[in-house]
Amino acid sequence: MTVEAISGNIKEQSSLGANRVLEVKDLRISYETPRGLVRAVSGVSFFLKRGERLGLVGESGSGKSTTALSLMRLLGPPAIIEGGQVLLEGKDLLKLSEEQMRRARFADIALIPQGAMNSLNPVMKVGEQLRDTMRAHAFNEAQSALNARIEDVLDWVDLTSDIMDAYPHELSGGMKQRVCIAMAILLRPKVIIADEPTSALDVVVQRQVMETLRRVQNDIDASVILVGHDMGLMAQCVDRIGVMYGGKLVEVSPVRDIFKNPQHPYTQMLIASLPNLESKEVFQGIPGLTPSLLNPPSGCMFHPRCPQIMAHCEVDVPTLNEIKPDRWVACHLYDDKVA
Amino acid sequence: MQLLEAQHVTRVFGGGVLNKRQTVAVDDVSLLITEDKPTITAIAGESGSGKTTLARLLLGMIQPSQGTIRFRGQVLADMSRQDRRNFRRQVQAIFQDPFEVYNPFYKVDQVLTTPIRKFKLANSPAEAERRIEESLQMAGLRPEETLGRYPHQLSGGQRQRIMVARALLLNPKIILADEPVSMVDASLRATILESLLKLKRELGISLVYITHDLTTAYQVSENIYVLYRGSVAEVGSVDKVIKEPLHPYTQLLVRSIPLPDPDLHWGSEGDLERKNQTAKGVGSEQRGCKFADRCPFVMPECRQSPPPLYRTNDDRAVACFLYKENEEISGQAMAETLAA
């Protein structure tokens, strides 16, 4: 079976613009806790263009990782996907059978996990793990043919083929992360989800790994969702940014617009709080605390911390609207901009 | 007057019966914090640079293999019980992980009442309570929202600020903060750094800020020591070291900072070494500059002996042969210059 045949599992039956490879609609995910259901992701909608790098940022508890992992259907109990659609080229991943989903992983949508050190099997050589991935997707070729393909991919991520005989503990953190990138691109997926791929790495290695990811993503024409909280990294690596707060997307805009002209009050304060090399000893934090998901605020999630609060912010939940071309904001300040 | 001083401190791990290979975690590092004016000194480096080992040495948690550490002129290793007790009170630490220092079964009050009991800081429960509330407020917390809770009921930022409050209770001279904001969300990071600056400005406490993050180091500190594999690569005022780095390693680090501005781009990976870099440790047998294998400007002499510090500016010295036309200066002399 060829890669093309496997990719064919998910047929193009798209009614949406051919430019959008992934479309997430009204995704709702909760966690079951002894104190009841906790809504971690409440009504998230966004799309991913072909070849695009989208950043998903937010503080801990904002739902960014839950969103990303649910796209791969990798969330187990106590998480429950309550509703919504994840359309990959028009096909709803949430409706696939387990077996269909297993085939779609790596082939259509792949994950570069957080903390590469823990995601590789410690008692299996790197080459064997890569061969395993291919065999699981019905590449029943001879070992030599598999190896040739793996060597190609390793070369792509700047690793030499001798690391196929190495165990994960023999590799540095950056090399392990490259192995994870190699595994993610092995079957040329359309979408790569990278969940804080460099949070455990030093800055120099982080830059190398991110540059490698950017290059290979470009070469195989995949789209990337980069999940993280480091706005600096986002500024360097992505085309558009979705900002999450309290389980919702509050703003989705091109990266330059987010940094130069943020619209949502939370985004504005987040950008202002970032340390830079221009000013010293001036800090602008965001007063208050992130919302408790067990007992979320009414109306807009951000209203208890918002400096521009209006009366109806405490009551009405704002929806994510396109207030200008390509600029999506969920805030009542822009209600008059919505048709 | 000297407050906390490290003189040519080296710390070697391993080399025993079980682990023959020696690792030099800290290699001839000198540092000085004076009592005259409160300062913030950054110790920056990546993983394996020895910055946490240096912190543990400065706290007296481990002993140097060579060199001495003094507090107010007294060698730590030779202190009496009484002096040691005093040292533990005057030199406080804030660690990276605001989750790990708490016992999940006790209310957070416990981390605040224990030092009061141990150091007999209060004569009555009412006085203890007053002191706790004062220190919480100084750390930017509301006592009524903090006391009586369990650790899991507080956010990471609150837990980290309770550690700041705990350090303040003891009215210390110096606080060593080891990556205090690396596990804290962006919106709280600024608040915690602000409270650290306030300690210096309002309470006259000096800080040693240990971090891998050059941006925050630049923002809070006056002087910086950049460590590479246990040695000082570059030392000086943050304005010089971070704005105009001279050591090829510092230059690489500064260029790799992901700046929150899409128009100031990282650049291509062309200047980075590409194929398989293994995470090899430093053997004690290694001669020459530790950065030589990665350095784009490597010269034959770099492989022969370790470079001394060359004083390139009044307030900066660089351990690199590229700057050998400048006068040599010992690490200790440079530390004294910066502290003056």
Side-chain angles (χ1 to χ4, degrees), chain A residues 29-220:
Chain A
I29 303 165
S30 290
Y31 286 93
E32 267 182 324
T33 75
R35 286 193 277 172
L37 278 183
V38 171
R39 196 38 93 67
V41 175
S42 37
V44 163
S45 304
F46 65 92
F47 57 86
L48 185 64
K49 298 175 202 163
R50 201 174 295 279
E52 177 186 47
R53 289 182 296 269
L54 175 75
L56 214 49
V57 300
E59 305 178 41
S60 35
S62 63
K64 58 186 190 301
S65 284
T66 302
T67 303
L69 291 178
S70 72
L71 305 184
M72 295 278 293
R73 288 213 356 224
L74 284 174
L75 290 170
I80 307 165
I81 298 181
E82 292 179 295
Q85 290 178 302
V86 177
L87 303 169
L88 183 68
E89 296 191 324
K91 180 112 174 175
D92 190 352
L93 294 183
L94 300 182
K95 293 217 167 69
L96 296 185
S97 70
E98 271 307 319
E99 176 58 20
Q100 285 171 321
M101 190 62 217
R102 187 188 70 74
R103 285 165 187 268
R105 287 188 198 117
F106 287 107
D108 294 308
I109 183 165
L111 176 75
I112 302 171
Q114 189 168 10
M117 16 301 281
N118 308 323
S119 64
L120 296 172
N121 185 339
V123 294
M124 209 167 158
K125 287 181 179 169
V126 168
E128 194 53 33
Q129 297 190 44
L130 290 163
R131 282 192 291 272
D132 241 24
T133 308
M134 297 190 74
R135 288 198 196 103
H137 287 273
F139 284 83
N140 294 318
E141 297 161 41
Q143 177 139 334
S144 58
L146 291 184
N147 282 354
R149 193 184 162 94
I150 289 169
E151 277 173 31
D152 274 355
V153 173
L154 288 176
D155 186 52
W156 240 346
V157 297
D158 290 330
L159 291 169
T160 50
S161 56
D162 53 338
I163 72 142
M164 285 169 74
D165 287 321
Y167 287 97
H169 75 266
E170 296 174 273
L171 308 181
S172 70
M175 288 164 75
K176 275 186 267 195
Q177 201 52 274
R178 277 161 208 260
V179 171
C180 288
I181 295 179
M183 204 175 277
I185 62 168
L186 203 52
L187 305 184
R188 297 186 166 231
K190 300 180 190 77
V191 175
I192 300 170
I193 297 167
D195 186 8
E196 308 229 14
T198 56
S199 60
L201 303 178
D202 288 323
V203 282
V204 178
V205 185
Q206 162 171 288
R207 176 173 158 210
Q208 291 166 335
V209 168
M210 292 314 297
E211 293 292 337
T212 303
L213 177 61
R214 184 212 298 272
R215 186 166 43 77
V216 299
Q217 170 249 337
N218 225 348
D219 290 350
I220 68 170

Side-chain angles (χ1 to χ4, degrees), chain A residues 35 58-61 64 154-156 158-163 170-173 175 178 200-208 210-212 214-215 229-233 235-237 255-256 259-260 266 270 273-290 305, chain B residues 45-48 51 145 152 155 158 161 182 184-191 193-194 197 200-201 212-216 218-222 238-239 242-243 249 252-279 294:
Chain A
R35 286 193 277 172
E59 305 178 41
S60 35
K64 58 186 190 301
L154 288 176
D155 186 52
W156 240 346
D158 290 330
L159 291 169
T160 50
S161 56
D162 53 338
I163 72 142
E170 296 174 273
L171 308 181
S172 70
M175 288 164 75
R178 277 161 208 260
L201 303 178
D202 288 323
V203 282
V204 178
V205 185
Q206 162 171 288
R207 176 173 158 210
Q208 291 166 335
M210 292 314 297
E211 293 292 337
T212 303
R214 184 212 298 272
R215 186 166 43 77
H229 64 271
D230 183 344
M231 290 299 280
L233 192 62
Q236 300 296 328
C237 298
V255 64
R256 271 193 180 69
F259 282 94
K260 305 287 180 202
Y266 172 66
L270 186 68
S273 79
L274 297 175
N276 58 50
L277 292 181
E278 303 309 314
S279 58
K280 285 184 78 168
E281 304 205 0
V282 222
F283 295 104
Q284 286 178 283
I286 305 181
L289 296 174
T290 47
R305 300 169 84 182
Chain B
E46 301 182 278
S47 45
K51 57 189 191 299
E145 286 178 8
H152 70 265
S155 72
Q158 283 176 311
R161 274 182 283 174
S182 69
V184 176
D185 277 322
S187 70
L188 284 164
R189 197 169 291 174
T191 316
L193 291 173
E194 176 79 62
L197 268 181
K200 182 190 84 167
R201 287 194 200 128
H212 71 281
D213 178 3
L214 293 183
T215 320
T216 55
Y218 173 75
Q219 290 207 306
V220 299
S221 51
E222 282 107 22
V238 282
D239 292 291
I242 294 184
K243 287 295 210 178
Y249 174 64
L252 177 64
L253 273 185
V254 171
R255 267 203 315 273
S256 299
I257 299 174
L259 290 171
D261 183 343
D263 292 329
L264 296 176
H265 195 258
W266 259 343
S268 69
E269 50 188 324
D271 57 338
L272 299 172
E273 59 276 55
R274 303 255 303 247
K275 290 274 175 191
N276 292 20
Q277 309 137 34
T278 47
R294 296 172 70 186

Side-chain angles (χ1 to χ4, degrees), chain B residues 181-325:
Chain B
V181 293
S182 69
M183 307 220 0
V184 176
D185 277 322
S187 70
L188 284 164
R189 197 169 291 174
T191 316
I192 290 174
L193 291 173
E194 176 79 62
S195 57
L196 291 180
L197 268 181
K198 243 167 66 184
L199 302 184
K200 182 190 84 167
R201 287 194 200 128
E202 292 171 20
L203 304 172
I205 298 172
S206 285
L207 279 113
V208 179
Y209 178 63
I210 296 157
T211 187
H212 71 281
D213 178 3
L214 293 183
T215 320
T216 55
Y218 173 75
Q219 290 207 306
V220 299
S221 51
E222 282 107 22
N223 296 322
I224 186 167
Y225 291 69
V226 178
L227 298 184
Y228 183 72
R229 291 183 173 183
S231 300
V232 174
E234 186 162 354
V235 51
S237 76
V238 282
D239 292 291
K240 288 267 175 4
V241 174
I242 294 184
K243 287 295 210 178
E244 306 150 24
L246 288 182
H247 195 289
Y249 174 64
T250 325
Q251 291 174 345
L252 177 64
L253 273 185
V254 171
R255 267 203 315 273
S256 299
I257 299 174
L259 290 171
D261 183 343
D263 292 329
L264 296 176
H265 195 258
W266 259 343
S268 69
E269 50 188 324
D271 57 338
L272 299 172
E273 59 276 55
R274 303 255 303 247
K275 290 274 175 191
N276 292 20
Q277 309 137 34
T278 47
K280 42 182 183 239
V282 203
S284 52
E285 72 286 346
Q286 182 170 349
R287 293 185 305 156
C289 175
K290 292 167 182 168
F291 191 62
D293 288 339
R294 296 172 70 186
C295 185
F297 309 106
V298 63
M299 303 175 288
E301 60 195 300
C302 302
R303 311 231 185 238
Q304 272 142 31
S305 62
L309 282 171
Y310 293 105
R311 189 170 179 185
T312 57
N313 307 72
D314 287 346
D315 53 353
R316 184 231 306 261
V318 187
C320 175
F321 288 119
L322 287 174
Y323 306 97
K324 65 185 171 195
E325 75 278 11

Side-chain angles (χ1 to χ4, degrees), chain B residues 91-129:
Chain B
V91 182
Q92 287 298 308
I94 299 170
F95 290 107
Q96 175 172 19
D97 190 343
F99 300 79
E100 236 168 36
V101 289
Y102 291 94
N103 182 332
F105 297 108
Y106 287 111
K107 290 180 180 166
V108 294
D109 308 34
Q110 196 231 2
V111 301
L112 298 166
T113 52
T114 307
I116 290 197
R117 208 175 57 241
K118 287 253 157 121
F119 289 100
K120 301 191 178 59
L121 298 176
N123 295 317
S124 67
E127 193 188 344
E129 198 173 320

